[in-house]
Amino acid sequence: MLRGEITTAIRRALMQELAAVGYGRLSIEAVARRAGVSKTAIYRRWNSKLDLVLEVVTAAAGARLPALDTGALRSDLALLFQVVAHALAHPLAAQIIPDLLAEAARNPTIDETFQQMLRSRQQEIVGGLITRAVDRGELPATTDPDVAVDLIVGPLYWRLAIARTPFTDSYLETLVDSVARALGAGDPLPRQRPAPTSG
């Protein structure tokens, strides 16, 4: 394999192994075996199991989202919820995220890295969404961005990590309206009925 292919294979193997056994039982030997490479190939790129996990998971979490600017708060929220729910519902994410959140409670390095990563992503994604809604007059200027992040992101992670309940279209639709109202948005505009035709 070429150097880039080896790195890609290691990253893929790491995610699969992490989902299969969790961080506590994860070993470099098992990742190397799954990737079809030597342990040396991994240690040339990462110093430890922790470095490998943090780099790969952070890169996966930092993947670019589509532009979330539809011109209206509710449709921005609907798109965000659909994208995030799809990502969190992936079998690997559904197994890895709860395990790493539990590990972060025991490992200060993982916890600090996750906190930095989450804060930057939340500000980039949710902060921009809220700022645009305030600028359009859909939300009051006093909207607290930290509370907004909790209201927007919290239900999705709760459903994934605690309730472990699948996301449904009806749940996401209800969530959009509930979050919009909780943030202080008014009722959605009623749909215009077509004017009756004379005849």
Side-chain angles (χ1 to χ4, degrees):
M1 285 191 287
L2 298 175
R3 178 172 296 182
E5 293 174 339
I6 291 173
T7 302
T8 299
I10 293 170
R11 287 175 172 153
R12 185 183 304 115
L14 179 277
M15 297 295 278
Q16 293 169 344
E17 191 68 18
L18 195 56
V21 304
Y23 180 84
R25 294 172 54 203
L26 183 77
S27 70
I28 294 294
E29 291 84 354
V31 174
R33 194 163 49 245
R34 190 184 282 267
V37 301
S38 66
K39 287 193 300 181
T40 305
I42 295 178
Y43 282 118
R44 273 200 297 264
R45 292 163 173 79
W46 297 277
N47 293 325
S48 66
K49 175 177 87 169
L50 180 58
D51 287 345
L52 170 61
V53 169
L54 290 179
E55 193 270 343
V56 172
V57 172
T58 300
R64 299 295 301 174
L65 286 175
L68 299 172
D69 187 2
T70 65
L73 173 64
R74 279 179 167 81
S75 52
D76 281 356
L77 288 172
L79 180 56
L80 174 62
F81 288 154
Q82 288 168 3
V83 170
V84 174
H86 177 75
L88 294 180
H90 189 284
L92 291 183
Q95 292 168 293
I96 289 171
I97 292 173
D99 176 70
L100 286 181
L101 289 175
E103 192 62 37
R106 298 185 290 267
N107 188 315
T109 303
I110 292 178
D111 183 54
E112 182 180 355
T113 301
F114 273 18
Q115 291 299 326
Q116 292 174 348
M117 175 184 68
L118 290 172
R119 274 197 298 271
S120 64
R121 291 294 282 165
Q122 288 165 355
Q123 182 56 41
E124 176 190 354
I125 299 166
V126 179
L129 186 153
I130 295 302
T131 298
R132 289 190 297 274
V134 170
D135 291 344
R136 289 190 297 258
E138 295 177 281
L139 292 179
T142 54
T143 301
D144 186 320
D146 291 333
V147 172
V149 167
D150 290 346
L151 285 171
I152 292 170
V153 179
L156 298 176
Y157 282 97
W158 170 270
R159 204 165 176 91
L160 167 80
I162 309 300
R164 304 186 73 82
T165 307
F167 299 104
T168 63
D169 290 341
S170 61
Y171 171 80
L172 295 177
E173 289 171 7
T174 302
L175 188 61
V176 166
D177 192 55
S178 298
V179 169
R181 289 173 185 272
L183 288 172
D187 291 333
L189 294 173
R191 293 182 179 177
Q192 293 284 339
R193 291 185 177 180
T197 55
S198 57

